[in-house]
Amino acid sequence: MGLTSKTVLTLAIALAVILFAATVLTWPRLARRSASAVFGRVGFLLATQVMVFTSAGLMANNAFQFYGSWADLLGGQQDLGVVTDRAAGTLASKNIVRVGIQRLDVPGGSRPTTGGRIDKVVIAGRRSKIESSAYVYLPPEYFQSEYANRKFPAVVVLTGYPGTAENLLKGLAYPRTALDRVRAGRAQPMILVMLRPTVAPPRDTECVDIAGGPQTETFFAKDLPQAISDSYRIGKRARNWGIIGNSTGGYCALKIGLHHPDRFVASAGLSAYYKAAEDPTTGDLFHGNRAERKRANLLWSLDHLPQPDSSFLVTTSRQGEGNYRSTRRFMAKVKAPAEVSSIVLNSGGHNFNTWRREIPSALEWMSSRLSEN
C-alpha cells in the first residue's frame, strides 16, 4: 500500500478510533494503583496519540504531496537504473529511455488522441553525466493526424526541494491544467517535461555546477533540452522552450532562464527565492569561488550581467509569503530587452494551495511567450 493511498489513510483513522474506544472502555480497569495498570494507561494513551498524529500527517501529505512514497519519506534512493545505448526498443540512442506510459485521468483519457499521454522516462546527460527520471506529458494534439507534422513548444516543470515528480501530476495537476487551458482556448498545446531539481539526492544542488560535484546547471540548461527535443517533436530554439517551478524549482527556473537565454525564452518562478541557499542540505556549493556565488544571486546577475532578451514571471502574496520584498526587488531590476510579469495574491502561503491558484494563469502566460517553430 502506497504512502498516498486512501487505504493507508482509512486504516490509520480506523486504528485511531479503535484505540480511542478501547481506552475509554478499559479505563475503569486501568484505574488501579498497580504497575501494570499504570503501564496500561500509558500504553493506550501513547498508541492513541501516535495514530491520531499519523492520521493527521497522512491527510496533510495527501493534500499537499510532500512525499510521494515510503522510500521518499524515509530518504531511500529511487534511482531507476543505468541508461545504456544498447537497450533495444527504447530511445536510448538519444540518451533517454521510456520506462512506463500512463494515461491522463480525464474523461476519454485512455485514448491519447483525447486525453494525451504521460511517458515516464529516464534522461542521461551526456555533458553533465547526471541521470534523472522525469514525466513527459504529450497533449492530445500530438497524436492527432492533423498535427502529424507539427512541432510543439515545451515547458520544463520543476518541483521544490526535496519534492517528487509525482507532486506535479497529482498535487499540482500540471497536465490536467494544461489540457483544461487548451480546451478553454486560453493556451496552445504544449509538451511538459516534469521532474524535480534534486538530481543528486539527497543533496540540494540549487541548480549549480559544483566543482568536483554534480553539474546540475549543465543538465537542465543543455542536456535535458537536447535529449527531449531529439526524442519528441519539439523545436531546439530558445523560443520553443520555457521553464517553470515552485520554491527551489522556482529559483532554478529563473536562474536557468536568466543565465541561458539561448535555451529558454520564458521562465516562471512560483514563490521563488533569488539567491542560492547554503545550508546542510546543499553542502559547499561554491568552494570559495566568490564569482560563482555572486552569479547564483539573481539580483546581482540582473545588476551586473547583460539583460537577456527573455520574459520572466514571478509570483508572491502580500500576506503569507516571505519573498514579497525580494520579488519586488527582482521586478525593479529587470530592464529591456528583458520583460517581467507578476502574479501578486492578496494572501497566500508557501504551499500547494497557493500554487494551484497561480498555475493556470502561469501556463497561459507561458503559452503566449512560446512558439512551435
Side-chain angles (χ1 to χ4, degrees):
M1 292 183 288
L3 177 63
T4 60
S5 73
K6 293 182 179 179
T7 302
V8 171
L9 176 59
T10 302
L11 181 60
I13 294 174
L15 287 174
V17 172
I18 291 171
L19 284 168
F20 176 77
T23 302
V24 172
L25 293 174
T26 59
W27 197 259
R29 285 186 288 173
L30 297 175
R32 305 182 189 123
R33 294 186 178 182
S34 64
S36 60
V38 171
F39 281 118
R41 294 196 296 270
V42 171
F44 270 109
L45 290 173
L46 181 61
T48 302
Q49 291 291 328
V50 167
M51 291 314 303
V52 168
F53 281 111
T54 297
S55 300
L58 287 170
M59 284 189 286
N61 188 64
N62 285 5
F64 297 106
Q65 293 290 314
F66 298 119
Y67 300 97
S69 67
W70 293 109
D72 185 40
L73 174 65
L74 299 174
Q77 295 288 337
Q78 299 185 61
D79 296 334
L80 295 174
V82 178
V83 177
T84 64
D85 288 341
R86 299 186 300 275
T90 68
L91 303 173
S93 62
K94 301 173 181 177
N95 275 49
I96 181 171
V97 175
R98 185 187 299 117
V99 297
I101 295 175
Q102 64 187 75
R103 70 180 183 87
L104 195 60
D105 187 18
V106 296
S110 59
R111 300 186 301 275
T113 54
T114 302
R117 190 180 77 194
I118 300 173
D119 289 351
K120 188 170 186 179
V121 302
V122 178
I123 301 167
R126 292 181 179 177
R127 301 173 184 84
S128 63
K129 308 304 179 185
I130 286 174
E131 294 180 6
S132 180
S133 60
Y135 290 96
V136 179
Y137 163 68
L138 303 170
E141 292 80 3
Y142 192 88
F143 303 97
Q144 295 169 3
S145 58
E146 56 266 41
Y147 295 90
N149 297 317
R150 173 177 167 177
K151 290 185 177 181
F152 293 81
V155 182
V156 176
V157 186
L158 301 176
T159 68
Y161 174 84
T164 66
E166 288 80 4
N167 290 348
L168 302 170
L169 276 66
K170 300 175 182 178
L172 296 178
Y174 267 96
R176 178 156 195 161
T177 304
L179 179 62
D180 289 344
R181 294 298 88 194
V182 173
R183 288 178 173 176
R186 303 296 297 272
Q188 63 177 315
M190 299 181 292
I191 292 173
L192 306 182
V193 185
M194 299 167 284
L195 68 167
R196 61 181 186 171
T198 313
V199 294
R203 188 177 188 181
D204 175 12
T205 60
E206 294 289 299
C207 292
V208 169
D209 279 351
I210 302 171
Q215 303 295 290
T216 312
E217 183 172 345
T218 295
F219 175 78
F220 283 112
K222 299 179 181 180
D223 288 337
L224 185 149
Q226 182 70 50
I228 295 295
S229 59
D230 281 348
S231 306
Y232 296 96
R233 300 200 310 274
I234 303 171
K236 296 185 178 182
R237 299 181 181 182
R239 64 174 182 255
N240 310 130
W241 283 86
I243 183 168
I244 184 173
N246 59 269
S247 190
T248 299
Y251 164 75
C252 285
L254 295 174
K255 178 182 187 295
I256 297 297
L258 179 59
H259 293 155
H260 300 274
D262 59 323
R263 301 282 178 166
F264 297 92
V265 75
S267 311
L270 312 184
S271 300
Y273 48 88
Y274 300 96
K275 66 177 182 178
E278 294 183 75
D279 55 37
T281 67
T282 68
D284 189 352
L285 294 175
F286 305 107
H287 298 282
N289 190 322
R290 295 179 64 185
E292 286 299 313
R293 177 177 280 107
K294 289 179 179 177
R295 181 176 176 273
N297 184 323
L298 306 189
L299 302 180
W300 183 93
S301 293
L302 287 171
D303 282 339
H304 295 88
L305 300 179
Q307 294 269 343
D309 188 8
S310 305
S311 298
F312 300 96
L313 172 68
V314 291
T315 77
T316 187
S317 303
R318 293 184 178 88
Q319 295 182 347
E321 286 269 30
N323 74 335
Y324 180 68
R325 290 185 178 180
S326 57
T327 296
R328 289 179 61 87
R329 291 179 61 198
F330 179 91
M331 294 167 58
K333 291 177 181 292
V334 175
K335 309 296 182 184
E339 62 175 30
V340 64
S341 304
S342 66
I343 298 173
V344 181
L345 303 177
N346 287 328
S347 64
H350 202 79
N351 55 53
F352 278 33
N353 182 57
T354 296
W355 300 328
R356 282 192 290 261
R357 296 162 62 194
E358 298 166 340
I359 288 171
S361 296
L363 287 177
E364 292 176 15
W365 175 89
M366 187 70 70
S367 170
S368 70
R369 265 70 180 175
L370 301 184
S371 170
E372 63 186 69
N373 298 315

